[in-house]
């Protein structure tokens, strides 16, 4: 992969997009949209120092959406192909057109209004090539795993260490004069060491990811930290049923943010399958909580100058002092709700949760002090959120804490509560911030939850 370049230039992809749109007009479509993408990548996995997999991918595709109807296009059909020949483009348009003919009418379907498109997209510098060969990637994975084994003789096994490098680019266009696209990348290093032997084995993992390979953590640091996490879990025990404060470690706290996002996203709202229905302008989180969305952070994983429909993205307050200021809407879901798109077709962009109560000194140790006596959760199992009622129940493991000090690891427990109440019971947010995907937060302390042994 060291000298690989994209097979198609941006200009070639733009021409293909124009061809698709022309074929759609000729076929009788009232509107049409197309996305053309191409990508390549390398992935390697080693286990106990030996190579398990080396995978190289090179993919391309064209997705076509055709609309049939009047002022508001009410019938929609989709088709795709990996063949870029002119004949294949015509056949794909024909397939989408035929599907659209037989779909049900929907007065919320159709392209975004013209004033929603981003006509002058920012260059957010989202593409950073990693000129790495398979041999070099294997060596990095081996260094990562070896560092994990070197921490302690009790690290006895491994589920493997992996290195991934991926680069892609795309062009999106539609019949309302929008055309835009850019190249992007995402790279990672990960490892999953196992500590102990027999029935007392414990595993944990850690990873680093970035668009820019120079910003990845050192493989040795990833390996050491993953091993330390696995070792800390040895000799875990269960807990009796109780109510107590629960501290979600930062990587898991990002999942709580994700749960909130899904609850205030358009699909959940217009289907009335959310515990936060009609929450706009209401108190949904503790009054010290702020959530900001900023799609224009240079080089960030969650950055995008426009969403999947070409609508402009913008920085905004999603939550201010615990009060919901905005939803996450695509064009379709916005029309269903009688609102405007928020530029979130495809998901959220660079969300940051903070608290006005957080001090710079509120590191992880300080958050344990704030927890005082309760449960520190470091792993969750299963999908346990009922988005209609907010009821929350997850298998968990972590550590029991007394007087702000970790006492012993715990496992085979369940934590339960109601997400609507949990969001209002956020006592504190740590300064130990971590970004996972498009979400960034510190550890989050919930005032009270039910904890039970399994």
């Amino acid at each position: 992969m060291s000298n690989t370049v994209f097979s198609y230039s941006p200009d070639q992809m733009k021409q293909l997009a124009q061809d698709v749109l022309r074929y759609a007009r000729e076929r009788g479509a009232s509107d049409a949209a197309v996305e053309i993408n191409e990508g390549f990548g390398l992935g390697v996995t080693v286990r106990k120092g030996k190579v398990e997999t080396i995978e190289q991918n090179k993919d391309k595709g064209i997705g076509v959406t055709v609309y049939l109807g009047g002022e508001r296009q009410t019938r929609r059909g989709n088709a795709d192909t990996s063949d870029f020949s002119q004949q294949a483009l015509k056949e794909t348009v024909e397939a989408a057109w035929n599907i659209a003919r037989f779909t049900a009418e929907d007065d919320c379907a159709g392209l975004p209004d013209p004033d929603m498109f981003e006509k002058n997209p920012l260059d957010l510098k989202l593409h950073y090539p990693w000129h790495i060969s398979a041999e070099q990637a294997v060596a990095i994975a081996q260094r990562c795993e070896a560092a994990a084994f070197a921490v302690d003789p009790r690290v006895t096994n491994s589920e493997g260490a992996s290195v991934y490098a991926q680069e892609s680019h795309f062009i999106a266009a539609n019949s309302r004069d929008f055309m835009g696209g850019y190249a992007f990348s995402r790279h990672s290093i990960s490892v999953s060491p196992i500590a102990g032997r027999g029935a007392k084995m414990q595993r944990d993992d850690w990873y680093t990811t970035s668009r820019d390979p120079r910003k990845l953590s050192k493989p040795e640091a990833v390996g050491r930290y993953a091993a330390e996490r696995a070792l800390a879990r040895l000799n875990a025990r269960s807990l009796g049923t109780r109510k107590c404060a629960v501290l979600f470690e930062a990587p898991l706290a990002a999942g709580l943010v994700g749960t909130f996002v899904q609850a205030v996203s358009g699909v959940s709202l217009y289907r009335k399958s959310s515990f936060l229905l009609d929450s706009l302008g209401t108190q949904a989180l503790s009054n010290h909580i702020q959530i900001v969305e900023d799609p224009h952070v240079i080089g960030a994983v969650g950055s995008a100058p426009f969403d999947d429909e070409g609508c402009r993205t913008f920085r905004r307050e999603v939550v201010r002092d615990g009060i919901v200021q905005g939803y996450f809407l695509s064009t379709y879901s916005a029309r269903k709700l009688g609102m405007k798109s928020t530029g979130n077709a495809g998901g959220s962009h660079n969300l940051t949760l903070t608290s006005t109560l957080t001090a710079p000194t509120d590191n992880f140790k300080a958050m344990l002090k704030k927890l005082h006596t309760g449960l520190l959760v470091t792993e969750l199992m299963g999908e346990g959120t009922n988005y209609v009622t907010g009821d929350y129940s997850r298998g968990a493991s972590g550590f029991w804490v007394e007087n702000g000090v970790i006492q012993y690891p715990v496992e085979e427990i369940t934590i339960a509560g109601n997400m609507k109440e949990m969001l209002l019971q956020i006592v504190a947010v740590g300064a130990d911030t971590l970004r996972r995907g498009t979400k960034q937060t510190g550890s989050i302390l919930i005032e009270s939850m039910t904890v039970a042994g399994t």
Side-chain angles (χ1 to χ4, degrees), residues 76-350:
R76 174 175 53 193
N78 301 291
D80 57 73
T81 182
S82 59
D83 185 344
F84 283 17
S85 69
Q86 292 297 308
Q87 183 61 32
L89 300 187
K90 292 178 181 178
E91 291 172 354
T92 305
V93 169
E94 181 73 18
W97 185 83
N98 279 317
I99 292 170
R101 289 171 55 209
F102 297 104
T103 57
E105 292 187 354
D106 187 339
D107 59 5
C108 291
L111 293 174
D113 295 332
D115 62 348
M116 298 297 294
F117 294 122
E118 177 56 76
K119 297 297 180 67
N120 298 294
L122 297 170
D123 178 6
L124 299 176
K125 303 189 184 308
L126 305 179
H127 182 217
Y128 297 85
W130 192 2
H131 300 304
I132 185 173
S133 65
E135 293 78 13
Q136 290 169 323
V138 166
I140 291 171
Q142 289 172 329
R143 285 164 52 195
C144 183
E145 188 184 49
F149 278 114
V151 169
D152 191 291
R154 292 174 295 170
V155 179
T156 56
N157 209 333
S158 168
E159 291 185 352
S162 299
V163 173
Y164 292 99
Q166 183 72 34
E167 298 175 47
S168 303
H169 72 146
F170 76 97
I171 289 293
N174 62 44
S175 54
R176 296 192 176 181
D177 296 326
F178 170 79
M179 182 174 289
Y182 49 86
F184 58 95
S185 57
R186 189 164 184 175
H187 314 297
S188 66
I189 302 170
S190 63
V191 66
S192 299
I194 299 171
R197 297 182 182 278
K200 295 184 178 180
M201 290 191 298
Q202 294 285 352
R203 65 161 293 284
D204 213 313
D205 61 76
W206 199 249
Y207 70 89
T208 176
T209 184
S210 176
R211 293 193 185 276
D212 186 347
R214 296 169 299 182
K215 294 183 179 179
L216 293 171
S217 300
K218 296 293 185 184
E220 291 80 6
V222 175
R224 285 193 297 269
Y225 188 54
E228 289 165 1
R229 291 175 65 90
L231 289 163
R233 297 175 61 165
L234 289 174
N235 303 313
R237 60 184 87 168
S238 189
L239 288 173
T241 300
R242 66 194 70 188
K243 277 187 172 288
C244 63
V246 174
L247 178 63
F248 287 81
E249 188 187 28
L252 303 185
L256 296 180
V257 180
T259 299
F260 165 77
V261 170
Q262 183 166 336
V264 293
S265 291
V267 173
S268 298
L269 295 171
Y270 77 72
R271 290 179 176 172
K272 299 189 182 302
S273 59
S274 170
F275 62 89
L276 289 177
L277 285 176
D278 303 317
S279 58
L280 192 65
T282 68
Q283 190 89 39
L285 295 92
S286 299
N287 61 13
H288 56 94
I289 299 300
Q290 324 293 321
I291 300 180
V292 172
E293 180 179 40
D294 188 355
H296 299 158
V297 179
I298 297 297
V301 169
S303 293
F306 50 83
D307 72 2
D308 287 359
E309 299 176 314
C311 292
R312 69 178 62 88
T313 56
F314 51 92
R315 188 183 188 278
R316 63 184 180 127
E317 290 181 298
V318 177
V319 172
R320 183 195 308 138
D321 299 333
I323 298 173
V324 178
Q325 305 295 311
Y327 295 149
F328 294 86
L329 306 176
S330 65
T331 297
Y332 185 83
S333 62
R335 287 173 180 159
K336 280 285 191 182
L337 296 168
M339 305 176 77
K340 276 190 168 290
S341 169
T342 57
N344 290 112
S348 61
H349 309 283
N350 294 331

